[in-house]
C-alpha cells in the first residue's frame, strides 16, 4: 500500500515546493479577482471607460499565449530559472499597472502581467510531474487547483479594502512583492534541470496564432452590444477551433499531445469534459451576482460572496478527493457532471423567482456549493489522467495543455454566457422580465452541456478501468 499521503506532500522539501507551485497559481488567481474588484475605481481615476472589458481580454489572451509557450521556457531553462523569470516578468507587469497614468499604460502592464501569469500558471501544473513522485500527483493537483477557491475569497477582500480607501495602486504593489518573494523561494527549492529536456523542438507558431485570434475574437465579440456580432464571434471561434484541430493533427510541431483531436484518443473526452465543467461553473458564476442583486435584493458584496460558494465548494471537493482510491475516482468522474447538473437545475428553479425568503437563499447557497464540490472532486483526477496518458515525448506538452484548456474555457464561458443572456432579453427588453428570461435560458443551456458531458465521463471512467496507469497507445495516428 502506498504511504505517500498529504503528510509526504506537505512536509520537508516537498512542502516548500508545494507552497511554491501553489503560490504561482495563487498569484495569477488572486490578481484576477483583485482587478475585477478595483476596476471601477481604477477607471474612475485614470479614465478609459471604453476599454473596460479589455483589461480582462488582454490579460486572458496574453496568459493563454504565455501558457502555451511555458513548455518551451521550461525545456530551455529548467524549472528553477523558468519559474524565476516568469515571476519577475509578472512582477514587472504588476509594477507597470501600479504606476500607470493612463488606461493605455495600464493595458500594456496587463499584457506583460498576463504573459508572466500564464507562464506561472502553466509551470505550476507542469512541474508537478517533475518535482513529485507519481503517487503524489493527484494530491498536488488538488492543492494547486484549490488555490482558485481560496483566491476567490482573498482577491475581492484585498481589492475591496484598497478600493475602499482609494489606494488601488497599493494592491498591485502587494501582488508584486509576493511575486518577488516566491521567485526567491523558487531559487532555493526548485531543481535547476530535468532529466528529459527537448530544446530542439520548434514552437507551434501557426497553432498559437490561430488560438490567439480565436480567443481575441470570442472575447472581443462578447463585449459588443450587438447580438449579431456576439453570435458571429462564437461561430467564427468554432470554425477556428476546427481549423486549429486540423492544423495540429497534421503538424509535426504539435501544441497539444499527439492525437488530442482524434476521436480514438482518450485526450478528446478528457479535454472535452474539462471544458464543459469549466464553462458551466464560470458561466454561472459570471452572472449570479447580477441575478442575486436584481432578483433577490442582495447587495454587491453579499451577492459576490454567495456566488463564490462555487469556488469554495470546488476547493472543499478538490482537496479531500485527491487521495481517493482508483475505484472511487472512477465513480467521482461519472458523478461530477450529474451533481453539477442537479445543482444547475436547482438554480433554474430558484434564481428566476423574485422571492427573497431565507429558504430560497439557503437553497441557492446549497446548490452553488454542491456545484463546486462536484466539479472540484473530479478536477485533480482529470488533470492527473492527462499526465498519465501522455507518452514521454508528449509529457511537457500535456502539462502545458492543462493551463491552455483552462484559460480557453474561461474566455469561452464569458462569450457564451454573455451571448446567451443578451439574446434571451437581459437588456432588451431588460428589466425584471428580461432578467428572469435570461437566467432561465442560461441555466437551461448549462444543464444541456452538462448532460452532454455524462457520456464523456463514462468513456474516461472505462478507460481508467482498462488502463489504470494510462499507458499503452491511445492514439491511432501512431499506427499509421
Amino acid at each position: 500500500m502506498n504511504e505517500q499521503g498529504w503528510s509526504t506532500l506537505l512536509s520537508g522539501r516537498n512542502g516548500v515546493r508545494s507552497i511554491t507551485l501553489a503560490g504561482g497559481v495563487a498569484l495569477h488567481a488572486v490578481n484576477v479577482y483583485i482587478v475585477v474588484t478595483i476596476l471601477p475605481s481604477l477607471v474612475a481615476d485614470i479614465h478609459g471607460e471604453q476599454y473596460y472589458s479589455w483589461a480582462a481580454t488582454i490579460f486572458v489572451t496574453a496568459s493563454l499565449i504565455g501558457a502555451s509557450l511555458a513548455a518551451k521556457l521550461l525545456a530551455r531553462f529548467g524549472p528553477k530559472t523558468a519559474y524565476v523569470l516568469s515571476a519577475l516578468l509578472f512582477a514587472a507587469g504588476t509594477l507597470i499597472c501600479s504606476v500607470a497614468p493612463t488606461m493605455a499604460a495600464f493595458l500594456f502592464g496587463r499584457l506583460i502581467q498576463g504573459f508572466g501569469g500564464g507562464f506561472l500558471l502553466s509551470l505550476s501544473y507542469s512541474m508537478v510531474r517533475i518535482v513529485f513522485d507519481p503517487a503524489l500527483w493527484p494530491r498536488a493537483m488538488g492543492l494547486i487547483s484549490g488555490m482558485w477557491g481560496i483566491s476567490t475569497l482573498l482577491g475581492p477582500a484585498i481589492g475591496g479594502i484598497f478600493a475602499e480607501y482609494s489606494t488601488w495602486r497599493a494592491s498591485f504593489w502587494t501582488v508584486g512583492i509576493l511575486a518577488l518573494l516566491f521567485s526567491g523561494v523558487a531559487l532555493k527549492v526548485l531543481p535547476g534541470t530535468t532529466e528529459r529536456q527537448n530544446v530542439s523542438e520548434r514552437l507551434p507558431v501557426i497553432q498559437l496564432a490561430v488560438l490567439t485570434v480565436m480567443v481575441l475574437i470570442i472575447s472581443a465579440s462578447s463585449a459588443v452590444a450587438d447580438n449579431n456580432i456576439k453570435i458571429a464571434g462564437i461561430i467564427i471561434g468554432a470554425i477556428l477551433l476546427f481549423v486549429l484541430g486540423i492544423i495540429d493533427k497534421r503538424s509535426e510541431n504539435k501544441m497539444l499531445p499527439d492525437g488530442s483531436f482524434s476521436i480514438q484518443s482518450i485526450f478528446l473526452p478528457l479535454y472535452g469534459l474539462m471544458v464543459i465543467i469549466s464553462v458551466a461553473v464560470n458561466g454561472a458564476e459570471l452572472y449570479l451576482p447580477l441575478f442575486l442583486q436584481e432578483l433577490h435584493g442582495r447587495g454587491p458584496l453579499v451577492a459576490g460572496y454567495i456566488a463564490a460558494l462555487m469556488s469554495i465548494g470546488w476547493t472543499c471537493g478538490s482537496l479531500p478527493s485527491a487521495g481517493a482510491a482508483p475505484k472511487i475516482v472512477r465513480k467521482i468522474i461519472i458523478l461530477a457532471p450529474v451533481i453539477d447538473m442537479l445543482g444547475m437545475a436547482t438554480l433554474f428553479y430558484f434564481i428566476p423567482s423574485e422571492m427573497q425568503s431565507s429558504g430560497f437563499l439557503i437553497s441557492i447557497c446549497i446548490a452553488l456549493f454542491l456545484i463546486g464540490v462536484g466539479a472540484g472532486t473530479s478536477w485533480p483526477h482529470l488533470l492527473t489522467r492527462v499526465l498519465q496518458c501522455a507518452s514521454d515525448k508528449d509529457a511537457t506538452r500535456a502539462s502545458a495543455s492543462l493551463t491552455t484548456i483552462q484559460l480557453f474555457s474561461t474566455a469561452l464561458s464569458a462569450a457564451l454566457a454573455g451571448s446567451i443572456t443578451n439574446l434571451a432579453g437581459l437588456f432588451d427588453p431588460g428589466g425584471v422580465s428580461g432578467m428572469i428570461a435570461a437566467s432561465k435560458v442560461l441555466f437551461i443551456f448549462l444543464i444541456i452541456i452538462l448532460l452532454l458531458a455524462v457520456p464523456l465521463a463514462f468513456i474516461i471512467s472505462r478507460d481508467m478501468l482498462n488502463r489504470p496507469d494510462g499507458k499503452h497507445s491511445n492514439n491511432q495516428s501512431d499506427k499509421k
Side-chain angles (χ1 to χ4, degrees), residues 208-404:
L208 284 174
V210 173
L211 183 65
T212 301
V213 172
M214 177 175 62
V215 172
L216 279 174
I217 289 175
I218 292 175
S219 299
S221 63
S222 68
V224 176
D226 191 324
N227 288 334
N228 292 326
I229 294 179
K230 289 180 183 293
I231 295 173
I234 293 175
I235 294 173
I236 294 172
I239 293 172
L240 288 176
L241 180 62
F242 180 74
V243 171
L244 176 63
I246 294 176
I247 293 173
D248 203 55
K249 190 174 182 179
R250 296 179 178 177
S251 175
E252 295 181 1
N253 234 12
K254 298 185 184 300
M255 184 175 68
L256 296 177
D258 201 16
S260 293
F261 292 96
S262 171
I263 59 174
Q264 290 90 8
S265 169
I266 190 58
F267 287 115
L268 193 61
L270 276 169
Y271 290 144
L273 184 55
M274 289 167 63
V275 168
I276 289 175
I277 288 176
S278 184
V279 166
V281 172
N282 289 328
E285 192 174 45
L286 185 64
Y287 280 90
L288 271 167
L290 177 63
F291 295 151
L292 290 169
Q293 289 178 61
E294 299 300 326
L295 297 178
H296 295 270
R298 304 298 160 180
L301 186 61
V302 173
Y305 274 107
I306 290 175
L309 283 171
M310 275 196 294
S311 294
I312 296 170
W314 186 302
T315 299
C316 291
S318 179
L319 295 178
S321 76
K327 183 178 180 181
I328 303 298
V329 171
R330 293 196 299 272
K331 293 179 180 178
I332 286 173
I333 297 294
I334 294 173
L335 286 174
V338 176
I339 293 173
D340 285 353
M341 212 176 354
L342 292 175
M344 293 297 177
T346 304
L347 295 180
F348 170 77
Y349 179 79
F350 286 104
I351 290 291
S353 171
E354 295 180 74
M355 290 285 292
Q356 298 181 18
S357 67
S358 58
F360 264 58
L361 189 61
I362 290 172
S363 299
I364 291 171
C365 290
I366 292 173
L368 292 173
F369 184 76
L370 287 178
I371 290 170
V373 169
T377 51
S378 65
W379 199 255
H381 303 293
L382 294 174
L383 301 181
T384 302
R385 190 62 181 169
V386 170
L387 298 186
Q388 289 175 337
C389 291
S391 63
D392 288 344
K393 74 170 185 177
D394 273 338
T396 304
R397 282 196 205 117
S399 300
S401 73
L402 302 180
T403 309
T404 302

Side-chain angles (χ1 to χ4, degrees), residues 15 72 84 102 110 152 199 214 285 412 420 466-467 480:
K72 188 70 174 177
V84 171
T102 64
R110 287 291 277 170
T152 304
V199 297
M214 177 175 62
E285 192 174 45
L412 183 63
I420 288 167
N466 295 334
R467 302 185 304 122
K480 293 182 181 179

Side-chain angles (χ1 to χ4, degrees), residues 90-103:
F90 180 85
T94 304
L95 175 63
I96 295 172
C97 289
S98 71
V99 299
T102 64
M103 195 62 170

Side-chain angles (χ1 to χ4, degrees), residues 6 9 125 136-148 314-315 317-322 376 379-381 383-384:
W6 284 110
L9 180 68
Y125 286 112
L136 291 175
W137 288 357
R139 287 181 173 84
M141 288 297 186
L143 178 65
I144 291 173
S145 300
M147 290 300 101
W148 285 95
W314 186 302
T315 299
S318 179
L319 295 178
S321 76
W379 199 255
H381 303 293
L383 301 181
T384 302

Side-chain angles (χ1 to χ4, degrees), residues 164-227:
E164 184 73 22
Y165 292 98
S166 301
T167 55
W168 60 265
R169 295 182 187 274
S171 63
F172 288 110
W173 302 338
T174 303
V175 173
I177 290 171
L178 288 174
L180 295 176
L181 177 64
F182 279 115
S183 68
V185 176
L187 275 174
K188 292 188 174 294
V189 301
L190 292 181
T193 57
T194 59
E195 291 181 6
R196 293 186 299 270
Q197 294 190 47
N198 185 359
V199 297
S200 60
E201 191 174 271
R202 292 173 297 153
L203 289 175
V205 177
I206 298 177
Q207 293 97 310
L208 284 174
V210 173
L211 183 65
T212 301
V213 172
M214 177 175 62
V215 172
L216 279 174
I217 289 175
I218 292 175
S219 299
S221 63
S222 68
V224 176
D226 191 324
N227 288 334

